[in-house]
Amino acid sequence: DTAVSQTPKYLVTQMGNDKSIKCEQNLGHDTMYWYKQDSKKFLKIMFSYNNKELIINETVPNRFSPKSPDKAHLNLHINSLELGDSAVYFCASSPAGAIYNEQFFGPGTRLTVL
Amino acid sequence: AQKVTQAQTEISVVEKEDVTLDCVYETRDTTYYLFWYKQPPSGELVFLIRRNSFDEQNEISGRYSWNFQKSTSSFNFTITASQVVDSAVYFCALSANNAGNMLTFGGGTRLMVKP
């Protein structure tokens, strides 16, 4: 009965490859997010989607492309992976719109680029 | 722009000590929300509390308490009688009207509670 799930949990790949991380939420939320946590634990928003539409794109390289087939899913595709992309990526969801809404986070995907 | 600062990068205490984690924020919005999240060694992010900008009442939940002071733009978190299981990274975060509901996180404070 996981609320926000991500697959895979660990991803090890070579530089230059293309990879995807999947996220699904079963909370009925309208808004989903991707955050990146770097090696120093700093957490930063990457994307926000509301009802399958992009709301925020925080100056993320265009090698990163989120795709939302429906409001329960927000996948993250990364092309031409670089060493600096190594991080933990968290998906989150919240009810739509209001700033007071608690965001529910997935377990994270640890991406290692060799 | 909004910003959250957690000046303490790492704190080490002995079990049963009280410990306060500091959080200072900046925003131009008059309506905003402040949050604390816990990230234990297992890595997940666990929501602890939400406080809105119009409610300066302190809150207590068991051994946890939060002190929100608008005058100093601070939202500090105190753990009373700390336990080893409290060892984690704690994040303070801010959500405001001009930022599309995104959370701006502080850099986190790593708390180590030793037996």
Side-chain angles (χ1 to χ4, degrees), chain A residues 88-102:
Chain A
V88 179
Y89 292 86
F90 285 96
C91 177
S93 74
S94 71
I99 62 170
Y100 55 76
N101 285 318
E102 168 198 347

Side-chain angles (χ1 to χ4, degrees), chain A residues 33 37 45 98-100 103, chain B residues 33 37 39 50 95 101-102:
Chain A
Y33 313 81
Q37 185 173 42
I45 183 76
I99 62 170
Y100 55 76
Q103 293 184 18
Chain B
Y33 279 76
Y37 281 84
Q39 187 174 39
R50 167 184 54 231
S95 177
N101 197 30
M102 74 174 199

Side-chain angles (χ1 to χ4, degrees), chain B residues 3-8 22-26 92 105-107:
Chain B
K3 185 178 176 182
V4 177
T5 302
Q6 294 179 254
Q8 306 147 308
D22 297 333
C23 173
V24 173
Y25 62 91
E26 295 174 31
C92 181
F105 283 90

